Each structure stands twice: as C-alpha cells, then as structure tokens.
Amino acid sequence: MLLSYSASVILVSLALYGLWYISKDVWTWFTTLQFVQLPDASFVILVYNMEYEVEELLRYLVNEMAEGGHEYDAIVVDCGSDDLTPTILRRLAAEMTVLTVVSAPRSSRPVVEVLPLCRGAVVHVLDLTGRLKSKQFMLVVSALLKQNQRDVAVRSDS
C-alpha cells in the first residue's frame, strides 16, 4: 500500500468535501437560471427651465440605473428652456454615455419623435415640465427600478 490508512482517509474526505461544494455550486447555478429575460427599459424625461435641479436628478437616475443590473438608457428632452439647462444637459450627456439629449420647441411634446431613439422594449415617460416635482421623480425612478429588480428576484426564485 502506498499511503497509510490515515492519509488515505484524509484524502478521501477532502475529495468528498470538494465534490460536495461542486455539486452545491452546480445546484445553485441551475436553480437561479433566468428562464424569462425581462426587457430592457428606456426613460424619456421632459425638462423645462430646471437648471438648479436637473443635474442632481439625472445623476440620481444614472446611479439607480447602474445598480439595476439591466440595460437602461435615458433620453432627456429639453422643451425649449431659456436658462442654463441646455448647457448642463450637454455637459452631462458628454459625461454619461447612457444619456441622450434632444432639444425641442416648448410648444411640442416630442415623445413620438423620441421613441425611435429608445433602445429598451419598455419606455417610461417622465414629464418634469409641470407634472412631476423633483421628489416625485426620485420616488418614481426608485420604484420603477426596484420593481424591476424585485421581478428578477421573484422569477429566479421560481
């Protein structure tokens, strides 16, 4: 015999221990497979004269999208702002690749023209020109992205 009895027992124990962890990892991988892939989403955000708030709101949106784990993009439509909002939007678009900035006249609502720019299968339109306030925007973004993460968790548990 090549090895002593105690050495062969230790060797067999380590082999069984490794086999246990490999089977556990394979089982975890198999049970967490996503059989249904959620569609990617796009955000269309309409803004008008929001030079004091737009940077904070868009940074919040981009940070929340980065934590989501899915492919998101955002199209920001400047509806004819006459303050520093267009300048801030251009700077943010150059800084963040998920943002696309489009300028439109104040009288139009260019959602139909912007839809071809959206890469996601689901499009969320958030109107900050008069409908949503800043805190409401943050709550809606958080709720939409958290709901998407919760759906992923539920589907992976099933």
Side-chain angles (χ1 to χ4, degrees), residues 12 22 34 43 55 72 78 88 99 101 132 145-146 153:
V12 168
I22 287 174
Q34 281 187 319
F43 288 89
E55 184 168 359
Y72 298 111
D78 177 35
I88 295 169
L99 289 181
V101 176
L132 283 176
L145 294 174
K146 298 297 186 225

Side-chain angles (χ1 to χ4, degrees), residues 5-158:
Y5 178 73
S6 57
S8 60
V9 167
I10 291 173
L11 200 58
V12 168
S13 299
L14 288 175
L16 289 174
Y17 184 72
L19 186 63
W20 165 254
Y21 267 95
I22 287 174
S23 63
K24 191 174 105 174
D25 287 343
V26 167
W27 179 256
T28 304
W29 174 78
F30 181 72
T31 58
T32 59
L33 282 176
Q34 281 187 319
F35 294 109
V36 177
Q37 180 67 29
L38 290 177
D40 298 331
S42 295
F43 288 89
V44 175
I45 303 154
L46 305 172
V47 296
Y48 175 72
N49 284 346
M50 296 187 66
E51 66 183 352
Y52 297 112
E53 302 171 299
V54 72
E55 184 168 359
E56 177 187 357
L57 294 176
L58 291 180
R59 286 192 187 278
Y60 177 78
L61 174 68
V62 169
N63 287 337
E64 289 289 317
M65 289 189 316
E67 293 175 7
H70 283 285
E71 185 70 27
Y72 298 111
D73 65 328
I75 292 90
V76 182
V77 181
D78 177 35
C79 297
S81 297
D82 51 4
D83 60 356
L84 292 176
T85 302
T87 307
I88 295 169
L89 291 176
R90 280 193 300 273
R91 181 176 51 82
L92 289 174
E95 193 177 306
M96 303 171 192
T97 59
V98 295
L99 289 181
T100 304
V101 176
V102 176
S103 296
R106 174 75 175 131
S107 59
S108 70
R109 293 284 187 221
V111 175
V112 174
E113 290 95 20
V114 173
L115 282 178
L117 297 175
C118 298
R119 294 185 306 224
V122 177
V123 178
H124 304 288
V125 178
L126 303 172
D127 187 1
L128 288 169
T129 61
R131 294 183 185 256
L132 283 176
K133 304 294 180 220
S134 299
K135 288 191 182 248
Q136 292 171 333
F137 174 81
M138 290 181 171
L139 289 171
V140 167
V141 166
S142 178
L144 287 172
L145 294 174
K146 298 297 186 225
Q147 178 66 36
N148 201 3
Q149 288 175 351
R150 192 169 35 248
D151 287 345
V152 169
V154 166
R155 288 187 180 156
S156 66
D157 289 342
S158 300

